[in-house]
Amino acid sequence: MNILDIGTRLKEERERLSLSQIDLAAATGVERKTQANYEAGRSEPTAGYLARAAHLGFDISYVVLGVPAASLATEEQELLRRFRGATDDLRAGALAVLGVSGSARTGVHIAGDVTHVSHGPMTGANTYNVGGKSGRKKRGPTD
């Protein structure tokens, strides 16, 4: 295993995720100079650093071994990155919406185009009306 190759692949992954060295260093808890040293092959990243990078969406299998993990579409990679960074409540809600068994606190049904996101615990009865008014009669002030 060549440390220079690890640095090159680390840089490729950082660029794929549109992160600067400064942003990646801050997100993984290292100094920018340390990040630069990793990418230049002057030092090896620690396991903790790699774990934090994985939570940002880095393909650590590719970085370390040069073998990409199962290929994911760009949307899937972004979804995974955001899911890993979400709060426990938001993760539970996302899993419930996707119908993952055992994740829902209560039943969830979503239909139509959804452009609003609710945050926080879902307690009690919540009703969200989504979509247009097609098929409904428009009411005036005297109706």
Side-chain angles (χ1 to χ4, degrees):
M1 172 171 33
N2 184 337
I3 188 171
L4 186 57
D5 293 340
I6 291 174
T8 300
R9 292 189 296 264
L10 185 61
K11 180 179 179 181
E12 288 174 9
E13 283 293 282
R14 176 180 59 77
E15 291 174 344
R16 179 183 63 83
L17 295 170
S18 300
L19 293 169
S20 68
Q21 280 188 345
I22 293 170
D23 292 339
L24 179 56
T28 54
V30 300
E31 297 292 325
R32 194 215 52 86
K33 183 177 180 179
T34 301
Q35 180 63 41
N37 286 336
Y38 290 162
E39 291 183 16
R42 289 188 286 268
S43 60
E44 290 184 344
T46 66
Y49 168 90
L50 293 172
R52 291 184 294 274
H55 283 285
L56 296 171
F58 278 66
D59 183 346
I60 300 305
S61 174
Y62 174 68
V63 170
V64 176
L65 304 173
V67 178
S71 295
L72 297 176
T74 303
E75 299 95 10
E76 293 169 322
Q77 293 171 6
E78 181 64 13
L79 181 62
L80 183 58
R81 184 186 71 77
R82 288 177 184 239
F83 181 82
R84 288 176 173 165
T87 64
D88 289 341
D89 285 338
L90 191 53
R91 284 183 184 194
L95 292 172
V97 167
L98 294 171
V100 176
S101 177
S103 62
R105 294 184 187 153
T106 60
V108 176
H109 175 76
I110 295 180
D113 294 331
V114 179
T115 59
H116 179 79
V117 176
S118 295
H119 299 276
M122 299 177 90
T123 58
N126 296 299
T127 301
Y128 298 93
N129 295 314
V130 181
K133 296 181 179 182
S134 62
R136 292 188 193 159
K137 179 181 172 187
K138 186 174 181 180
R139 297 180 181 243
T142 59
D143 286 346

